[in-house]
């Protein structure tokens, strides 16, 4: 019974999390002259894009009055988003370094080929979805900006006609 518990704990100790998997494959995808030790930045951008996706959806769903208020006073959204980006960057910088990569590389070497292939496919799928999320962020924020410009133009025209 002790051996079963010991084997279980060793397996749990070597378990690779979703984010660890993404980090490992980013590191292996970046050429050595491309500063692979800075892959935590790419991971941070990936994570931040999902938070930005949520915010950009909210911005487009608000009514015109709230959108104008946010546009004229963006600090309640911009400051927390900046803090989130910096926090993610610092956390990922602390966690994902060369030491972490070497530990993950040794775990991946022990991994069966099919499991390694599955984890690489998960990485590619996640990367593809993240690229779509980033493009959607850009489209939604552009749409928000265009809508605000139209609202501002209408307000300006209304102001001119009432004078």
């Amino acid at each position: 019974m002790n051996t079963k518990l010991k084997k279980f704990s060793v397996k749990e100790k070597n378990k690779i999390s979703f984010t660890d998997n993404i980090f490992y494959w980013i590191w292996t995808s970046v050429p050595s002259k491309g500063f692979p030790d800075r892959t935590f930045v790419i991971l941070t951008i990936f994570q931040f894009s999902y938070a930005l996706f949520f915010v950009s959806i909210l911005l487009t769903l608000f009514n015109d009055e709230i959108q104008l208020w946010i546009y004229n006073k963006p600090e309640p959204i911009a400051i927390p988003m900046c803090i989130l980006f910096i926090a993610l960057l610092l956390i990922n910088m602390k966690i994902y370094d060369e030491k972490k990569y070497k530990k993950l590389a040794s775990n991946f070497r022990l991994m069966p080929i099919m499991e390694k292939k599955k984890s690489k496919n998960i990485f590619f799928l996640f990367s593809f979805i993240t690229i779509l999320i980033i493009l959607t962020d850009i489209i939604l924020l552009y749409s928000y900006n265009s809508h605000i410009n139209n609202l501002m133009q209408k307000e300006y025209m209304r102001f001119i006609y009432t004078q």
Side-chain angles (χ1 to χ4, degrees), residues 21-136:
N21 180 53
I22 303 304
F23 166 75
Y24 174 79
W25 291 111
I26 291 172
W27 185 294
T28 58
S29 301
V30 173
S32 61
K33 300 236 189 249
F35 300 109
D37 58 326
R38 291 185 177 79
T39 55
F40 69 90
V41 175
I42 298 169
L43 188 60
T44 300
I45 291 169
F46 278 13
Q47 292 169 333
F48 184 74
S49 69
Y50 286 88
L52 188 59
F53 179 67
F54 177 73
V55 170
S56 59
I57 286 174
L58 284 177
L59 285 174
T60 57
L61 292 177
F62 289 137
N63 66 26
D64 292 348
E65 290 175 21
I66 294 174
Q67 286 183 349
L68 281 170
W69 180 82
I70 291 170
Y71 185 78
N72 291 323
K73 191 171 170 63
E75 293 84 11
I77 292 177
I79 291 173
M81 291 302 287
C82 287
I83 291 170
L84 174 65
F85 184 77
I86 292 168
L88 285 172
L89 192 64
L90 293 174
I91 290 167
N92 287 334
M93 183 172 44
K94 181 78 173 152
I95 295 172
Y96 296 106
D97 54 8
E98 189 170 1
K99 182 179 171 186
K100 180 74 167 185
Y101 170 75
K102 287 179 179 178
K103 180 181 178 222
L104 289 170
S106 67
N107 289 348
F108 272 92
R109 275 193 292 278
L110 300 173
M111 191 181 286
I113 292 173
M114 289 307 290
E115 195 174 333
K116 193 184 299 186
K117 200 173 195 177
K118 181 183 172 187
S119 71
K120 192 169 189 174
N121 287 340
I122 289 170
F123 163 72
F124 283 124
L125 180 64
F126 174 75
S127 298
F128 177 73
I129 291 171
T130 303
I131 289 168
L132 291 177
I133 291 292
I134 291 170
L135 291 173
T136 306

Side-chain angles (χ1 to χ4, degrees), residues 68 150-160:
L68 281 170
N150 288 338
L151 288 174
M152 299 284 271
Q153 221 172 16
K154 286 178 187 175
E155 290 293 320
Y156 178 72
M157 294 306 265
R158 192 176 313 155
F159 175 75
I160 294 222

